[in-house]
Amino acid sequence: MRLLFFFLKFIISFRNLFSEKSYQVFLINQKAIFIYRSNPEIVVRDYYFYVQGLLLDSLVALNSKCLVFFECPGLKLLKICLPFYEIYLQIEHTLLDPKATKEFKTLPGKLSTGDGSENYLVRIAEFEKLNQASLVIDYSRVNLFNIASSELLKNFRLKSFCISPSLYPIDTKTSGRSGVITLFGNPEIPRRKLFLEALNNAQIEFKNVRGMYFGVEEVYRKAKIIVNVRQTDIFYTLEELRVLPALRSGAIVISEVAPYIKKTAYSKFIIFGTIEELPGLIKEVEQNYQVVHQRIFGDGSENSHFMKRMRRIEKCNVLSMQRAVNYLNSSAR
């Protein structure tokens, strides 16, 4: 196994010289060779490395010699060396408006929109690639709840596991914080543009941070309030890749309401409202910042309700990854 490891390491190092995508090789327990991207897509960089860390801890439980490819759609010739597993991230919204049938390929789901007459649709971006994967890691329990509602995705759901984005060390202190922050990559998108205009009309001082993928943790740690608004009226999954890391960094999160938020297991720590209600909520929090911060985060000790819930989510992530590896063992090729 060690000889194969050094051979693959040489081949991949040589390949990296001619590709923008850089890959690395890691030997796990003299049994599995883990191949991964060392320069993942920047929009999910922090989440990617968080999941990778959990994978490395859990893959030691693999039963047989194999190759494990994490977010490596290429490298096809290497996959003849040993039995292999392919693991991919699913980072898109699966919960779609019932009217979105023309814009995207979707499947019928069974989660009600709440009015009793329609159900949300299920959309899986890059379905062909993910459907061929050995394992799919999703950031959202709401996404998986929606996928599970589709009769056509039973097998896909079995190999899908939720790893919540418990990124960054928890820091709930109030000192050194200021301002209201939005993180709209494209603030010209109509509904977000209108929202920013509403903030201006309400005389709320804010800063929109765009195009920042490195150092976003510092933005969260220095902000009093992070505001989350959906990009469009079509996608309905809560943006957990933003709101949970912001919460863990001690920012008060004020978010546009989203369906089935109790599935996240931490929705009680977020302030929700309709997009029209958000400016008023922001003003209210600014005027009562210390009281609201105390209500959400408690005293910051390990015994606070917030800290207990964050630790529970971290533990659930570890257990979920262990179950994912057990799934690989049970479905060994």
Side-chain angles (χ1 to χ4, degrees), residues 228-291:
N228 180 65
V229 173
R230 290 198 308 273
Q231 180 172 318
T232 73
D233 289 318
I234 294 176
F235 301 106
Y236 279 88
T237 306
L238 179 66
E239 292 85 350
E240 294 189 55
L241 288 168
R242 178 182 300 131
V243 299
L244 182 54
L247 266 182
R248 290 175 59 88
S249 300
I252 294 174
V253 176
I254 301 178
S255 175
E256 182 178 7
V257 70
Y260 300 100
I261 53 176
K262 289 186 178 180
K263 292 292 179 181
T264 66
Y266 58 86
S267 60
K268 65 175 66 178
F269 302 109
I270 300 173
I271 298 171
F272 286 101
T274 65
I275 194 168
E276 293 80 13
E277 292 171 335
L278 294 190
L281 291 172
I282 293 168
K283 278 192 166 184
E284 183 179 335
V285 171
E286 285 187 308
Q287 293 166 2
N288 302 279
Y289 173 73
Q290 292 293 343
V291 172

Side-chain angles (χ1 to χ4, degrees), residues 83-100:
F84 65 90
Y85 300 109
E86 292 184 285
I87 303 173
Y88 288 105
L89 300 178
Q90 198 300 113
I91 58 165
E92 301 292 343
H93 301 247
T94 74
L95 197 67
L96 260 68
D97 188 276
K99 305 179 189 66

Side-chain angles (χ1 to χ4, degrees), residues 109-331:
K110 292 185 178 179
L111 299 189
S112 173
T113 59
D115 62 9
S117 62
E118 292 184 299
N119 294 333
Y120 288 107
L121 299 173
V122 184
R123 177 222 179 197
I124 300 176
E126 298 185 290
F127 177 73
E128 291 76 13
K129 180 184 78 173
L130 296 181
N131 198 39
Q132 294 298 316
S134 312
L135 208 63
V136 176
I137 304 298
D138 200 303
Y139 70 96
S140 169
R141 295 181 185 181
V142 177
N143 274 345
L144 295 188
F145 186 51
N146 190 35
I147 290 169
S149 77
S150 173
E151 294 290 334
L152 300 174
L153 294 171
K154 284 184 178 180
N155 291 334
F156 188 91
R157 177 62 185 91
L158 288 175
K159 65 179 181 181
S160 298
F161 295 83
C162 178
I163 300 296
S164 298
S166 295
L167 314 182
Y168 318 134
I170 297 173
D171 179 5
T172 62
K173 69 178 186 300
T174 58
S175 60
R177 297 182 183 273
S178 64
V180 176
I181 301 294
T182 59
L183 294 106
F184 301 160
N186 182 1
E188 296 302 313
I189 290 174
R191 77 191 311 270
R192 285 181 167 174
K193 184 177 182 179
L194 289 172
F195 175 71
L196 295 180
E197 290 175 358
L199 293 186
N200 282 322
N201 292 337
Q203 298 183 326
I204 295 172
E205 293 186 13
F206 67 93
K207 179 181 180 181
N208 184 58
V209 178
R210 60 185 300 187
M212 176 175 283
Y213 302 107
F214 301 95
V216 69
E217 176 185 1
E218 279 304 301
V219 173
Y220 293 152
R221 291 197 189 287
K222 292 179 180 179
K224 281 188 174 181
I225 299 171
I226 296 291
V227 182
N228 180 65
V229 173
R230 290 198 308 273
Q231 180 172 318
T232 73
D233 289 318
I234 294 176
F235 301 106
Y236 279 88
T237 306
L238 179 66
E239 292 85 350
E240 294 189 55
L241 288 168
R242 178 182 300 131
V243 299
L244 182 54
L247 266 182
R248 290 175 59 88
S249 300
I252 294 174
V253 176
I254 301 178
S255 175
E256 182 178 7
V257 70
Y260 300 100
I261 53 176
K262 289 186 178 180
K263 292 292 179 181
T264 66
Y266 58 86
S267 60
K268 65 175 66 178
F269 302 109
I270 300 173
I271 298 171
F272 286 101
T274 65
I275 194 168
E276 293 80 13
E277 292 171 335
L278 294 190
L281 291 172
I282 293 168
K283 278 192 166 184
E284 183 179 335
V285 171
E286 285 187 308
Q287 293 166 2
N288 302 279
Y289 173 73
Q290 292 293 343
V291 172
V292 176
H293 191 280
Q294 172 71 22
R295 187 179 74 227
I296 293 171
F297 298 105
D299 60 6
S301 72
E302 288 292 329
N303 289 323
S304 69
H305 187 40
F306 176 80
M307 290 293 286
K308 286 181 178 179
R309 182 53 54 93
M310 293 300 109
R311 298 304 184 205
R312 182 178 178 84
I313 293 171
E314 292 170 7
K315 181 64 175 177
C316 285
N317 283 344
V318 172
L319 294 175
S320 183
M321 190 61 80
Q322 290 173 353
R323 287 194 295 271
V325 173
N326 289 338
Y327 174 84
L328 291 181
N329 282 331
S330 66
S331 61

